[in-house]
Amino acid sequence: MLSSLPRPVIFAHRGSSAHAPENTLASFNLAIQQGADAIELDTMLCADNQPVVIHDEKLDRITGISKFVKQLTLEELKTLDAGKYFKPSFEGERIPSLKEVFEVCGKKIFINIELKNLSTPTDNLPQIVAALVHQFELENFIMFSSFNPLALIRIQKLLPNTPVGLLADSGLNGYWARSWIGRFIKYNALHPWLGDVSVKLVEEAHRRGKRIHVYTVNNPLDMSRMASLDVDGFFSDDPLLALQTLNRGNNKS
Ligand code: G3P
Ligand code: MG
């Protein structure tokens, strides 16, 4: 459960993505091995409506293919290499389905599932993901987050006891999310951009009974500053560095 994790919770952002290709089983397994408290992953639907774990809607950055995730089926996506671009030694890593991540990591580590359907806000991603969570009985091992408020409202109806985090973009968009949009959602945690975090923001969130999980914190100075500001958690591409910086002994690697 979220409330029983250490504070601040160190979320391995897209897995241990400083050391392994993001959003792959290699990066999630590494995060577990390094002793991260939780992993964060991004998920969206592919052409045959299966939730796959990838950040960008377009496949070019990760696989070199000039197509969109939603144009290819899971079987077609599985033919693409999602590791070679990061380092030749990761050649052969694949884009995982959410089901595979649940099979490999479920119940081993807490998972923040980011619903990435901002450009298709009314698709069936919440229903499909909720069914998978039920199937794997992971209700107490996960939380959801999204920049898409509709996705959060829909997932809350399906899984009312699973915490949700409202992602707030940088700058003005973030301001609107935190103030205006935030009034329509009973979210458990605010997920602000690092540059928007201040003593006031943390105090306000806590006064309103919200947790605060900050993204993306990769520099040791920022990690220490977040801890001293008393945030409840932060996302980092380098969970091992975060553990070391916060003197949270790690005996797993
Ligand atoms: O959940 C924190 C972070 O993942 C949000 O931004 O673009 O990395 O998914 P992004
Ligand atoms: Mg994300």
Side-chain angles (χ1 to χ4, degrees):
M1 293 224 341
L2 183 57
S3 57
S4 51
L5 296 177
R7 279 185 86 251
V9 180
I10 297 170
F11 292 89
H13 182 240
R14 312 182 194 174
S16 193
S17 59
H19 302 287
E22 65 181 54
N23 281 320
T24 62
L25 292 177
S27 68
F28 301 136
N29 281 328
L30 184 58
I32 293 171
Q33 189 201 323
Q34 290 175 329
D37 302 315
I39 56 173
E40 184 264 2
L41 59 81
D42 306 289
T43 191
M44 65 185 75
L45 295 177
C46 64
D48 52 344
N49 274 332
Q50 311 223 41
V52 290
V53 177
I54 188 165
H55 179 271
D56 303 357
E57 292 182 347
K58 243 188 133 185
L59 288 158
D60 49 0
R61 180 173 64 93
I62 300 291
T63 69
I65 304 294
S66 184
K67 288 203 167 167
F68 288 88
V69 173
K70 65 182 173 206
Q71 291 178 294
L72 300 189
T73 62
L74 180 59
E75 199 183 336
E76 288 165 338
L77 288 170
K78 282 291 180 190
T79 64
L80 307 178
D81 194 294
K84 199 169 48 177
Y85 83 98
F86 182 83
K87 219 189 243 182
S89 59
F90 285 102
E91 182 168 355
E93 270 310 309
R94 302 290 160 193
I95 296 167
S97 65
L98 187 60
K99 185 170 177 230
E100 275 177 282
V101 177
F102 284 176
E103 278 164 357
V104 173
C105 307
K107 295 192 180 167
K108 277 195 200 156
I109 191 164
F110 189 87
I111 306 176
N112 178 166
I113 301 168
E114 184 185 338
L115 300 169
K116 272 271 187 241
N117 63 343
L118 201 54
S119 68
T120 51
T122 57
D123 68 11
N124 286 329
L125 183 67
Q127 285 91 331
I128 294 169
V129 171
L132 214 50
V133 170
H134 276 307
Q135 186 191 330
F136 283 83
E137 299 179 343
L138 289 177
E139 289 85 345
N140 292 325
F141 293 83
I142 58 157
M143 69 173 295
F144 290 103
S145 63
S146 191
F147 287 105
N148 171 11
L150 188 59
L152 294 180
I153 291 169
R154 291 168 71 205
I155 203 75
Q156 273 181 323
K157 287 203 174 124
L158 297 160
L159 293 167
N161 298 320
T162 301
V164 300
L166 175 68
L167 271 162
D169 215 337
S170 58
L172 197 56
N173 284 345
Y175 172 77
W176 287 119
R178 294 192 302 268
S179 53
W180 192 76
I181 294 173
R183 288 188 198 161
F184 296 94
I185 307 169
K186 281 198 205 134
Y187 58 96
N188 306 83
L190 178 67
H191 290 191
W193 175 62
L194 172 63
D196 287 329
V197 177
S198 62
V199 175
K200 187 167 168 252
L201 188 74
V202 178
E203 281 177 358
E204 258 177 35
H206 286 165
R207 198 165 48 242
R208 286 157 53 215
K210 316 281 187 205
R211 296 173 60 99
I212 184 159
H213 301 150
V214 180
Y215 72 95
T216 305
V217 187
N218 288 332
N219 170 313
L221 284 176
D222 289 325
M223 292 170 178
S224 301
R225 189 168 65 90
M226 289 304 110
S228 67
L229 281 179
D230 198 30
V231 304
D232 301 278
F234 61 79
F235 299 87
S236 179
D237 297 341
D238 197 339
L240 185 58
L241 180 64
L243 287 161
Q244 288 163 346
T245 303
L246 302 186
N247 292 318
R248 293 253 313 270
N250 160 39
N251 51 17
K252 294 193 185 170
S253 64

